[in-house]
Amino acid sequence: MNLNWTMVGQSLTFIVFVWACWKWIWPLLINAMRERQEAIAEGLAAAERAAKDLELAQERATDQLKEAREEAAGLIDQARSRANQMIEDAKNDARQEGERLKEAARAEIEQEVNRAKETLRAQVAVLAVAGAEQVLGESVDASRHSQLLDKLAAEL
Amino acid sequence: MASAAENPAEYIQHHLTNLTFGQHPDGTWGLAHSAEEAAAMGFNAIHVDSMVWSIFTGLVFFFVFRTAAKNATAGVPGPLQNFVELIVDFIDDTTRTIFNYSNSLIAPMALTIFVWVWLMNFMDLIPVDWVPTLASAMGIHYMKIVPSTDPNITMSMALSIFVLIIYFSIKEKGLGGFLGELAFHPFPKFLAPINLFLEGVTLIAKPLSLGLRLFGNMYAGEMIFVLIALMFTGGLIWGVIGGVLQWGWAMFHVLIISLQAFIFAVLTVVYMAQAHEVDEEH
């Protein structure tokens, strides 16, 4: 075993290479590896999150669809009852209008009857006086007997 | 290639000698021309081949990983980044399991050790004669291309880690805490000298076992490749047997080089964790 200056030379070489690896090789590689690990971990977490989000979104969509369907059903019901209501209302209105028209017609008829009665009554007096004149043979003073005649007419 | 002029002993000796530059006993500086000359230089020498291949493999590690790091993206990674991240993630996981303290140096150091030691060990899988033959064609007579078969290389890394063990121990526990750990454990306080001896041995054993384990494994592996290569000089039948053996040993060696690199890196992390461990009992 020839131990000599080779030991010193190799020691220095050893120190230089270890130092170079420490400063110029190891940090760069280990950082790149850690960064990638983090990126992969983040990617996986994001994928998981996205899957969960999707699930939630699907749930929400289902809920909304159900809600919308219910709302639509409600609206249709409402519209239907409203339509029924409107038909009922219209029927009622029509009935009332009919009643009213009937009433009006009846009133008018009554009026006409009354007017005819009035006219008749007026003519009755004249006819009665004329009849009486024929019977009595003399003129009857209308003004003197008007009270009697009116009474007679009113009795009609 | 074992030339006809070399006998097996010379061939093996040749393969186990580093290209050594240093001071000759007569005071002049130059390359050693034989194993004896290299040994005679003592400490004032340097293994040029070990250093060159060590720095070369270190640079391969640095540039491959630096390229990946510079182009690293948190998006979809390319093939290079994928490959590099696989290793980084493996080391990061391993470090996290063993080392539960906050110290940003440990994981990058483990990565450097794992990949660099693996690359140095990998040089063992290049057939033993290729590079030395090429070198000798260029006039270089010794070329040992596996830096981790050189105890200088493995021990200096182990000792650097030893220094870090002591540095972090003192930093985390204080000098008193560190010495207390050595002196008041495992026996009661009045047996402090025995404790110091036991814990001292344990402490010293850490860098020794770390460096020598790697050296021993790689040296033995290299030696077996050299021995198998010797068979290629023994004619057709020995050559075929040698080829099969070399293939088998190389397959097995793929496991060994990876395992040794991993053990070196993991033990480093374990020692660092022990250095950071503050035990309330003492």
Side-chain angles (χ1 to χ4, degrees):
Chain A
M1 257 189 353
N2 301 331
L3 292 179
N4 52 35
W5 283 101
T6 313
M7 291 190 75
V8 178
Q10 174 68 7
S11 296
L12 293 176
T13 315
F14 178 74
I15 290 163
V16 168
F17 278 127
V18 168
W19 187 84
C21 178
W22 186 26
K23 288 292 165 204
W24 295 333
I25 292 174
W26 186 267
L28 297 175
L29 286 169
I30 212 81
N31 283 344
M33 288 162 73
R34 292 227 175 97
E35 252 173 63
R36 188 180 316 118
Q37 265 169 1
E38 268 165 35
I40 291 171
E42 265 168 34
L44 288 175
E48 208 169 302
R49 224 165 25 235
K52 213 167 278 171
D53 281 356
L54 180 65
E55 206 175 301
L56 280 178
Q58 270 169 347
E59 251 169 53
R60 202 175 306 134
T62 313
D63 281 358
Q64 275 178 351
L65 204 63
K66 210 163 84 180
E67 218 168 275
R69 207 171 279 144
E70 275 168 12
E71 207 177 310
L75 280 175
I76 289 170
D77 275 354
Q78 216 174 337
R80 198 172 284 144
S81 67
R82 184 80 167 278
N84 287 342
Q85 182 75 41
M86 277 167 82
I87 291 168
E88 281 305 307
D89 283 357
K91 273 183 188 165
N92 280 345
D93 280 357
R95 202 173 290 131
Q96 272 170 9
E97 185 68 12
E99 292 289 328
R100 204 178 56 77
L101 283 175
K102 235 182 335 184
E103 274 317 298
R106 197 173 288 137
E108 210 171 315
I109 290 164
E110 216 164 295
Q111 232 171 358
E112 285 297 314
V113 168
N114 282 347
R115 201 177 299 134
K117 273 183 187 168
E118 248 0 272
T119 313
L120 209 60
R121 213 175 269 148
Q123 282 173 359
V124 158
V126 176
L127 282 174
V129 170
E133 268 177 353
Q134 296 275 324
V135 170
L136 292 175
E138 66 183 293
S139 78
V140 176
D141 190 356
S143 58
R144 260 179 54 196
H145 301 282
S146 65
Q147 206 176 343
L148 182 75
L149 288 171
D150 285 344
K151 206 168 147 197
L152 184 76
E155 270 171 23
L156 271 167
Chain B
M1 202 84 39
S3 65
E6 276 180 328
N7 64 38
E10 278 170 354
Y11 176 76
I12 294 169
Q13 182 70 42
H14 181 257
H15 267 287
L16 297 181
T17 306
N18 284 102
L19 180 66
T20 312
F21 179 87
Q23 193 176 27
H24 292 296
D26 60 13
T28 59
W29 289 78
L31 286 169
H33 297 291
S34 68
E36 291 73 32
E37 259 183 58
M41 284 174 177
F43 194 80
N44 263 342
I46 189 160
H47 293 158
V48 181
D49 47 1
S50 292
M51 283 315 301
V52 166
W53 290 109
S54 156
I55 291 171
F56 170 76
T57 47
L59 286 176
V60 168
F61 157 70
F62 180 76
F63 282 115
V64 169
F65 277 66
R66 176 69 185 156
T67 307
K70 264 200 297 201
N71 302 325
T73 158
V76 181
L80 174 68
Q81 195 187 342
N82 235 337
F83 169 71
V84 164
E85 275 186 14
L86 186 75
I87 299 171
V88 169
D89 196 42
F90 170 62
I91 293 294
D92 191 44
D93 272 357
T94 312
T95 310
R96 257 174 225 287
T97 325
I98 303 168
F99 188 85
N100 293 318
Y101 308 92
S102 107
N103 189 335
S104 66
L105 172 68
I106 306 306
M109 181 163 72
L111 175 71
T112 312
I113 289 171
F114 177 65
V115 180
W116 191 18
V117 169
W118 191 89
L119 285 171
M120 289 198 282
N121 293 351
F122 177 79
M123 301 302 290
D124 214 358
L125 292 179
I126 297 172
V128 285
D129 282 317
W130 284 11
V131 182
T133 307
L134 204 66
S136 87
M138 296 191 311
I140 302 165
H141 293 294
Y142 294 103
M143 183 52 69
K144 232 178 121 187
I145 61 166
V146 193
S148 46
T149 57
D150 183 346
N152 286 291
I153 298 291
T154 62
M155 283 315 294
S156 58
M157 286 198 289
L159 287 175
S160 304
I161 288 157
F162 184 63
V163 170
L164 281 177
I165 291 174
I166 292 179
Y167 170 73
F168 282 125
S169 291
I170 293 173
K171 193 182 162 210
E172 296 297 317
K173 303 164 190 170
L175 186 59
F178 177 50
L179 291 177
E181 199 179 68
L182 292 180
F184 307 143
H185 188 89
F187 297 119
K189 287 187 181 182
F190 66 90
L191 289 171
I194 298 175
N195 288 337
L196 265 178
F197 172 72
L198 286 173
E199 289 294 310
V201 168
T202 309
L203 190 66
I204 302 295
K206 284 176 184 175
L208 277 178
S209 65
L210 192 62
L212 291 178
R213 175 185 301 107
L214 179 61
F215 162 69
N217 273 283
M218 298 323 297
Y219 189 82
E222 172 83 341
M223 182 72 100
I224 288 175
F225 275 125
V226 172
L227 291 176
I228 290 170
L230 263 182
M231 299 170 85
F232 295 133
T233 60
L236 183 65
I237 294 171
W238 281 114
V240 169
I241 295 172
V244 172
L245 280 178
Q246 171 154 2
W247 181 81
W249 181 242
M251 297 268 58
F252 184 57
H253 215 56
V254 171
L255 190 68
I256 294 180
I257 64 170
S258 309
L259 194 63
Q260 288 305 320
F262 182 64
I263 288 173
F264 204 100
V266 165
L267 278 180
T268 304
V269 177
V270 169
Y271 292 157
M272 289 298 138
Q274 285 173 351
H276 283 70
E277 191 177 48
V278 181
D279 200 343
E280 267 79 31
E281 275 179 49
H282 303 289

